Amino acid sequence: MSAVQGDLREVSEQNRLATISNLTYLSSAPRRQSQVVIIVERKEDWASYFPSDDVMSAQEYLEQPLESEAGKRVQVINLCRSYKYLGHGYYCSLLAEARGHKVIPSVRTISELTRKSLYSLALDDLDKALDKALNNHPYSNTEGFTFTLYFGKTNLEPLQELARQIFEIFPCPILLVEFRKSNSWHIEGIKPGVLQKLREDQEDQFANSLDSFSRKIWRVPRSPRVARYDLAILHDPQESLPPSNAKALESFIRVGKGLGIDVDLIEKKDYSRIAEYDALLIRETTSVDNHTYRFAKKAESEGLVVMDDPTSILRCTNKVYLTDLLKSHQLGMPATEILYKERPEDFERVGERLGFPLVLKIPDGCFSRGVIKVESQQALLDATAELFEHSVLLLAQEFFYTEYDWRIGVLNRKPIFACQYFMSKGHWQIYNHKAKGQDINGECRTLAVHEAPRAVVELAVKTANLIGDGLYGVDLKQSGDKVVVIEVNDNPNMDAGIEDAYLQDDLYSLVLEEFIRRLELKRRGQAW
């Protein structure tokens, strides 16, 4: 080895030791929120890195129940040589979960990575991103290659975003990802990597990535007082019609602070951070086929209290489910029929049964999108041709016009707010997406729950209770003595100046206090 190479190796070694030294310093900081444990199969597997009291052998962790420091959660980074079923690595993650520790990788991740049939489905959506990332990259001329991720990070800049997404799906300290090219690039395989097999240059990458990952775990609280709980609010700053406007999100943060809850705003890119929190509140328009549902599923699997939960999202985002639910319980709703793309003969008679005008709806539409009012048989045929491009079945519903819709907010089976949403100016719906400027939606009026008609509130609560015990917004129409349910929203609007106009800060308190109630019951091992 030349003198220059020797000098470079010494500098590399100093950088690695400095990184882990800094890591150790952070781990001893008196105000950190988490107690971190790094598990290795054998202590010599950590020999290349700076000694740390946070490092335990697998046997030590299995044999010695860890006493967590007061007020701190335990974060476990499992770096065992293998995660095979019923091996040391597997048992360390299993017992970590049993002890209430946050662990990476989880048993679920370990299980999914053992079978391609399980993990390949989760990776299908990434193949398009892979082709784009490797376009004009040196690897594009090869038939295949394997690269290593360290806590979702890679030195291959074109693949960094892809690496982050893979880590979000399979949170594992070290991942080996194999790519193959046939007609296009695809992920051929993925498996956990092993700490002890890293080369010297890879050890540097691992140390830096561990340091970066650990800084998130050991983030310093914003105030000296330790919050009782950490709540994440998922939102999209770019969403045009979000469930909560910026001022409402600020109110959640401010009111939460007074209740002892540390509220963080997170976005789609923060998927891998979910395990840092005790609870998740979704304030972004939900859909089963986008990241909001994955966030809810991930949070639920990590043991967080979630609003709204995956089951509520599944049930509320599909109007076919709601139609069947209301019919089976004989609750008020407009006359409704299901139209099937494969049965066009039904289109001829639905107008006779429901009368014109009638309304056609895509089952999973929201904010009045995918909803068309038709005045004639020809308009019906034109509209079905358009909507069947998006769904194999549609809902046809009698037209029930009112000047405004009722929205009753229901939380844990009790009403918490009542609003009147008036139709958009010159339009038959609350939202008019063809309008410009502020005329897209109509005016709103919020009042005390007891001021709303009793029949409206009672039907709203009955309907919401069939969905679950989360946070819902039930839309209803009233004409004389007739009250009907239009839909149930799993993440109802809570905007500053609208839904909070009557209760003001008390509305945010009601939601946050329900999180506290559930978290306290969870801590005592009780169901809510």
Side-chain angles (χ1 to χ4, degrees):
M1 180 172 62
S2 68
V4 173
Q5 288 175 320
D7 290 343
L8 288 175
R9 178 163 293 184
E10 184 176 350
V11 170
S12 176
E13 180 70 11
Q14 290 173 350
N15 287 340
R16 180 164 64 254
L17 293 179
T19 297
I20 301 301
S21 177
N22 185 43
L23 182 65
T24 305
Y25 168 75
L26 283 170
S27 71
S28 61
R31 291 173 59 195
R32 72 182 185 183
Q33 288 181 306
S34 299
Q35 178 183 349
V36 175
V37 176
I38 298 173
I39 300 176
V40 291
E41 190 104 0
R42 302 174 186 171
K43 284 292 185 69
E44 55 263 33
D45 294 347
W46 192 255
S48 297
Y49 307 95
F50 199 86
S52 169
D53 291 338
D54 291 329
V55 177
M56 298 180 70
S57 71
Q59 197 65 34
E60 288 173 337
Y61 183 78
L62 295 175
E63 292 180 350
Q64 304 169 16
L66 192 67
E67 293 293 332
S68 60
E69 299 172 26
K72 296 179 182 177
R73 296 167 301 183
V74 178
Q75 302 275 357
V76 176
I77 299 175
N78 184 352
L79 297 173
C80 284
R81 296 180 180 184
S82 169
Y83 303 116
K84 69 179 181 180
Y85 184 60
L86 303 185
H88 282 88
Y90 180 88
Y91 273 122
C92 284
S93 286
L94 185 68
L95 287 187
E97 293 180 11
R99 294 168 181 174
H101 301 168
K102 300 291 186 181
V103 62
I104 173 177
S106 65
V107 172
R108 179 179 177 179
T109 297
I110 291 172
S111 298
E112 289 178 344
L113 288 175
T114 58
R115 294 172 58 189
K116 188 174 181 179
S117 60
L118 291 177
Y119 68 70
S120 59
L121 293 175
L123 297 174
D124 281 346
D125 293 340
L126 301 183
D127 285 346
K128 292 180 181 179
L130 179 58
D131 253 353
K132 184 178 179 180
L134 289 176
N135 188 31
N136 298 323
H137 191 273
Y139 281 113
S140 62
N141 297 321
T142 66
E143 293 183 357
F145 66 98
T146 299
F147 84 133
T148 308
L149 307 185
Y150 311 96
F151 297 95
K153 293 187 177 294
T154 175
N155 284 346
L156 300 176
E157 187 57 36
L159 294 177
Q160 180 51 59
E161 176 60 21
L162 188 71
R164 180 188 65 79
Q165 293 180 51
I166 293 173
F167 181 69
E168 287 179 354
I169 299 171
F170 302 113
C172 187
I174 306 172
L175 284 173
L176 303 178
V177 186
E178 181 184 0
F179 299 102
R180 283 288 177 268
K181 187 176 183 181
S182 48
N183 294 328
S184 60
W185 283 101
H186 65 277
I187 298 174
E188 179 68 19
I190 181 169
K191 63 181 181 180
V194 182
L195 179 67
Q196 67 166 131
K197 293 184 178 180
L198 297 182
R199 301 188 306 269
E200 188 169 315
D201 60 314
Q202 292 177 316
E203 289 176 345
D204 291 332
Q205 294 178 54
F206 172 79
N208 290 326
S209 299
L210 174 59
D211 182 37
S212 176
F213 180 77
S214 299
R215 286 177 188 274
K216 295 177 182 178
I217 293 176
W218 291 317
R219 68 190 193 283
V220 178
R222 287 191 290 272
S223 63
R225 180 181 58 80
V226 177
R228 276 195 286 175
Y229 297 108
D230 293 324
L231 169 71
I233 294 183
L234 176 64
H235 80 305
D236 178 4
Q238 306 304 318
E239 188 172 4
S240 58
L241 293 171
S244 285
N245 55 23
K247 191 172 180 181
L249 295 178
E250 292 172 3
S251 295
F252 272 116
I253 295 172
R254 174 174 46 77
V255 173
K257 186 176 181 180
L259 294 172
I261 300 178
D262 190 0
V263 178
D264 275 353
L265 299 182
I266 64 171
E267 302 174 33
K268 177 181 178 181
K269 62 182 176 62
D270 298 311
Y271 183 83
S272 61
R273 295 181 54 205
I274 291 178
E276 297 178 24
Y277 299 94
D278 300 299
L280 172 68
L281 173 62
I282 298 178
R283 293 282 81 202
E284 184 175 345
T285 302
T286 52
S287 175
V288 175
D289 62 357
N290 75 7
H291 64 278
T292 54
Y293 183 68
R294 295 204 311 272
F295 265 76
K297 289 282 288 184
K298 173 71 171 176
E300 187 178 67
S301 69
E302 293 284 354
L304 278 68
V305 173
V306 189
M307 284 191 200
D308 260 320
D309 57 277
T311 300
S312 292
I313 294 175
L314 277 172
R315 291 174 175 174
C316 290
T317 53
N318 196 290
K319 298 179 179 68
V320 172
Y321 174 87
L322 180 63
T323 298
D324 193 74
L325 188 71
L326 292 173
K327 282 183 177 179
S328 63
H329 287 83
Q330 299 181 335
L331 296 180
M333 62 178 293
T336 304
E337 294 187 17
I338 298 177
L339 301 181
Y340 299 91
K341 187 176 183 179
E342 304 301 323
R343 295 174 59 180
E345 64 272 13
D346 288 347
F347 307 170
E348 298 294 331
R349 295 185 293 274
V350 69
E352 297 176 8
R353 291 191 294 269
L354 298 181
F356 288 109
L358 60 80
V359 179
L360 295 175
K361 299 180 178 181
I362 290 178
D364 62 350
C366 61
F367 290 113
S368 300
R369 293 189 177 97
V371 180
I372 299 177
K373 183 176 75 168
V374 295
E375 305 277 356
S376 65
Q377 183 63 28
Q378 186 57 51
L380 171 69
L381 295 176
D382 293 341
T384 53
E386 175 188 341
L387 296 178
F388 275 133
E389 293 294 321
H390 306 284
S391 174
V392 296
L393 56 85
L394 303 173
L395 290 176
Q397 196 168 71
E398 71 169 316
F399 182 62
F400 195 109
Y401 180 77
T402 54
E403 290 186 2
Y404 58 82
D405 286 357
W406 282 104
R407 164 71 62 82
I408 305 298
V410 180
L411 174 64
N412 189 31
R413 308 186 184 280
K414 298 175 183 177
I416 59 171
F417 67 81
C419 290
Q420 292 173 326
Y421 296 158
F422 289 82
M423 301 304 141
S424 181
K425 187 176 180 181
H427 192 59
W428 62 280
Q429 293 172 288
I430 295 169
Y431 292 94
N432 181 5
H433 295 284
K434 295 181 180 179
K436 296 181 179 179
Q438 296 182 357
D439 290 332
I440 189 172
N441 59 290
E443 295 180 358
C444 302
R445 176 173 174 254
T446 304
L447 54 159
V449 170
H450 67 266
E451 294 177 346
R454 183 171 180 176
V456 170
V457 176
E458 288 182 349
L459 180 56
V461 173
K462 283 181 182 178
T463 303
N465 289 352
L466 295 176
I467 301 292
D469 60 2
L471 173 63
Y472 311 108
V474 185
D475 293 345
L476 310 96
K477 287 179 177 289
Q478 181 187 31
S479 179
D481 294 334
K482 185 176 182 180
V483 182
V484 295
V485 175
I486 302 301
E487 65 181 358
V488 181
N489 301 277
D490 61 281
N491 62 339
N493 280 62
M494 292 182 66
D495 283 318
I498 301 179
E499 286 78 13
D500 72 354
Y502 181 79
L503 290 178
Q504 299 185 17
D505 280 358
D506 286 344
L507 180 61
Y508 306 103
S509 293
L510 284 172
V511 176
L512 295 173
E513 285 169 355
E514 177 60 20
F515 272 103
I516 293 174
R517 186 186 74 84
R518 298 185 182 200
L519 287 165
E520 293 290 344
L521 289 173
K522 179 173 174 283
R523 175 179 285 182
R524 295 195 294 267
Q526 298 175 307
W528 59 76

